[in-house]
Amino acid sequence: MTASQARPTVPAGLEEAAQHGMAVAFHAAADPGRPALVCRHGDRTYGELNARVNQLVGALRRRGVRAGDPVALLCANRAEFVETYLATQRAGLRLTPVNWHLTGAEAGYIVADCDAVALVADARFAEVASAAAGAPALRSRLAIGGAVDGFEHYEDALAAESPADVADPSLGTTMLYTSGTTGRPKGVLRRDGMRMKLTAGIVMHRYEAGDVHLCTGPLYHAAPLLFSLSIPLVAGVTVVFMDGWDAREALDLIARHRVTHTHMVPTMFHRLLALPAEVRERADVSSLRSVWHGAAPCPVAVKRGIIEWFGPIVDEYYSATEGLGTFVDSKTWLAHPGTVGKPFPPDQVVIGDEDGAPLPAGEVGLVWLKASTVGRFEYHGDADKTQRSYRGEYFTVGDLGRFDEDGFLYLTDRDADVIISGGVNIYPAEIDAILLEHPAVADVATVGVPSDEWGEDVKAVVELHDAAAAGPALEAQLIAFCRDQLSHYKCPRTIDFVAELPRSDTGKVYRRRLRDRYREQAGG
């Protein structure tokens, strides 16, 4: 079935419930025993999930958290993440999920910067949680799944509250963090709450009674939070959680739970296709009806391979944390390999120059997305960055692309500097800043280099004060130096030493020249 074929209708009353954060309550009232969440840390029916969400709303309110307040969440893919997310949506709060791969200092910056008054944290990440717990606005701290010094026990807090539906639900919002190439992470904030028509997502995803969605990625990321949690739960389907990606486990879960829908990133496709032929041939993926992907460019051969295996059920979107862009289904993509689709509506995307002036088909320029259809955003605490991103109704996150004569968008670069490895954005300036603290480093430019598995690998290109010091020992030392201060996924996998980095007349490093050089070497 394609996106243009027959679509399900939305049950009467569901849209109104969703607009007050009460979609789960709607489904709990209709069928409380329906499975809502399946995960290794504990399952939930819709009735159980709804009751615990109401209890958490009560617990937060008892601790002085009021509508409009910010809440931070540091948690793995488990039911309590969902409960916290839904409670903030129901109580009119602003939730910031925090990447649990971050160091304590990195997480602490986000918890403080988002002005969180409450922090809900998974005891699995106790060290990071403790480091973030000193944020100045915090007045409530709850620990999930175990003890964290200075935190109350989550279960004790819920046990004291009523499971009855809250009488005054108010739709909350989220503020996720996305980094810029020149500074610390920034919160992407929509003050109007961007009351997204989540029920329209049911139609787009073609959910039906009895469907099951497999959540493959971490819920702190924008795409899984929307595509693998928000929309499925509004639809009333069952969500099966993975706690870390494993290709064989994904196939096992698809077969065992008769999964109908999932969301993946290209690295997952690559890992699946890399499994032995006998494993792939034995796998039962016949239940799948819809596989969405985005977050990173997908090599043509990889996407073609996954369509040949799963069938023409693979839909791709292009978006950013800040807003939506394009969509393409399998049939259309096969006729236009490499495209990320056409804009919806047609004026949603413009290829333009730095001032937003449109460029003709075939010419590469900045990708400008129309803000009016998704709600204007701002970067929390950074009015200058917000202003620089907009040109009238349109904004850009720095991605480069072109339209062909038929109106299909092709991305030539996902931002001039950002590295996308395994579907995760990595920002070179953050790595450069660390390496420049090392006494051996005179200058550095971190770039993404082609990787069959990850899309891009992180490579640092370094100028030394003493060129004679270059070698494997110093490379290992510099990588370890980064890993002591940054999350490991951000750190260089390799380091190349050069006599001189390419620079403009003003001394600015030509990072693009370095990237182009490595792509040419890789044959890309």
Side-chain angles (χ1 to χ4, degrees):
M1 183 181 291
T2 66
S4 62
Q5 288 178 295
R7 293 168 173 174
T9 57
V10 176
L14 176 56
E15 184 162 357
E16 182 179 357
Q19 294 309 310
H20 291 85
M22 296 293 285
V24 166
F26 177 93
H27 296 299
D31 187 2
R34 183 191 312 171
L37 311 176
V38 177
C39 54
R40 67 180 62 173
H41 305 289
D43 302 339
R44 301 285 190 272
T45 64
Y46 270 89
E48 291 167 341
L49 178 60
N50 184 60
R52 287 173 63 84
V53 169
N54 290 320
Q55 289 175 300
L56 181 55
V57 170
L60 291 171
R61 288 177 172 178
R62 186 180 298 276
R63 287 155 180 79
V65 182
R66 296 292 179 259
D69 281 347
V71 175
L73 173 62
L74 178 77
C75 188
N77 284 11
R78 53 186 297 162
E80 292 87 350
F81 185 113
V82 183
E83 291 163 3
T84 305
Y85 168 70
L86 293 175
T88 59
Q89 289 294 292
R90 187 169 295 188
L93 306 174
R94 189 187 79 206
L95 180 69
T96 291
V98 181
N99 180 343
W100 43 263
H101 288 94
L102 298 177
T103 66
E106 292 167 333
Y109 163 77
I110 291 175
V111 173
D113 187 73
C114 77
D115 305 315
V117 300
L119 172 60
V120 182
D122 190 336
R124 173 175 164 187
F125 315 114
E127 184 176 345
V128 175
S130 294
L138 282 180
R139 54 178 181 265
S140 178
R141 302 163 182 82
L142 298 177
I144 293 166
V148 179
D149 287 345
F151 284 63
E152 296 180 78
H153 288 280
Y154 179 93
E155 293 296 333
D156 291 346
L158 265 64
E161 307 299 333
S162 169
D165 283 345
V166 298
D168 55 346
S170 173
L171 185 64
T173 188
T174 57
M175 185 171 79
L176 277 67
Y177 272 67
T178 183
S179 294
T181 59
T182 58
R184 292 244 197 171
K186 298 295 181 185
V188 179
L189 174 64
R190 291 183 176 85
R191 291 196 180 277
D192 63 3
M194 198 183 91
R195 290 176 172 262
M196 182 177 288
K197 297 285 187 182
L198 288 176
T199 46
I202 302 172
V203 174
M204 179 61 76
H205 285 68
R206 304 179 296 281
Y207 282 121
E208 300 172 356
D211 281 350
V212 178
H213 187 108
L214 176 64
C215 176
T216 62
L219 289 170
Y220 59 71
H221 194 284
L225 186 63
L226 175 62
F227 291 112
S228 292
L229 185 65
S230 303
I231 293 175
L233 288 182
V234 169
V237 305
T238 301
V239 181
V240 177
F241 289 119
M242 296 187 71
D243 186 14
W245 169 257
D246 178 84
R248 291 175 186 260
E249 181 187 5
L251 293 177
D252 176 65
L253 291 171
I254 289 169
R256 190 188 333 156
H257 296 284
R258 304 302 296 163
V259 168
T260 57
H261 294 68
T262 191
H263 175 281
M264 296 185 181
V265 297
T267 295
M268 296 175 182
F269 291 163
H270 183 274
R271 294 274 185 91
L272 286 164
L273 292 168
L275 291 170
E278 61 270 19
V279 174
R280 287 185 280 118
E281 291 167 1
R282 191 169 61 246
D284 180 2
V285 296
S286 61
S287 60
L288 286 174
R289 294 203 326 272
S290 178
V291 177
W292 279 63
H293 80 96
C298 188
V300 169
V302 171
K303 182 160 180 177
R304 195 185 302 277
I306 211 71
I307 292 174
E308 289 174 354
W309 182 5
F310 288 172
I313 61 170
V314 182
D315 296 327
E316 181 174 3
Y317 63 91
Y318 161 64
S319 68
T321 300
E322 294 85 345
L324 308 174
T326 63
F327 164 82
V328 61
D329 60 22
S330 292
K331 181 179 178 180
T332 305
W333 184 90
L334 288 169
H336 303 270
T339 185
V340 292
K342 285 188 174 182
F344 57 100
D347 65 345
Q348 177 63 23
V349 179
V350 169
I351 299 298
D353 60 18
E354 292 193 358
D355 294 320
L359 298 173
E363 191 165 336
V364 174
L366 283 168
V367 181
W368 293 88
L369 306 178
K370 192 173 185 179
S372 60
T373 60
V374 296
R376 287 182 69 90
F377 72 89
E378 62 184 78
Y379 290 107
H380 180 57
D382 197 333
D384 289 342
K385 182 177 175 67
T386 303
Q387 185 175 5
R388 289 195 306 271
S389 297
Y390 278 102
R391 298 293 185 274
E393 291 183 292
Y394 289 84
F395 67 90
T396 184
V397 293
D399 291 354
L400 301 174
R402 62 177 175 83
F403 281 121
D404 67 12
E405 295 294 339
D406 296 319
F408 288 94
L409 177 63
Y410 293 78
L411 298 178
T412 58
D413 225 335
R414 289 297 300 263
D415 191 290
D417 289 331
V418 172
I419 300 164
I420 305 177
S421 184
V424 177
N425 286 6
I426 299 170
Y427 300 88
E430 192 173 13
I431 304 162
D432 291 352
I434 297 298
L435 284 171
L436 285 169
E437 295 177 6
H438 194 282
V441 176
D443 205 353
V444 58
T446 304
V447 296
V449 298
S451 164
D452 288 340
E453 181 174 358
W454 296 99
E456 290 184 302
D457 280 336
V458 181
K459 179 184 285 290
V461 185
V462 172
E463 270 186 42
L464 297 173
H465 290 295
D466 179 8
L474 182 57
E475 178 184 22
Q477 184 184 125
L478 293 176
I479 291 173
F481 185 75
C482 283
R483 290 168 73 94
D484 284 343
Q485 302 181 66
L486 288 175
S487 309
H488 291 182
Y489 74 90
K490 298 180 182 179
C491 296
R493 292 175 180 265
T494 57
I495 293 177
D496 286 355
F497 298 104
V498 295
E500 187 175 4
L501 290 165
R503 292 182 176 83
S504 68
D505 292 340
T506 61
K508 181 179 179 180
V509 172
Y510 283 123
R511 206 181 296 263
R512 180 177 295 279
R513 290 187 183 178
L514 291 171
R515 290 200 310 275
D516 290 346
R517 182 186 306 166
Y518 286 110
R519 288 177 183 175
E520 288 172 8
Q521 291 173 1

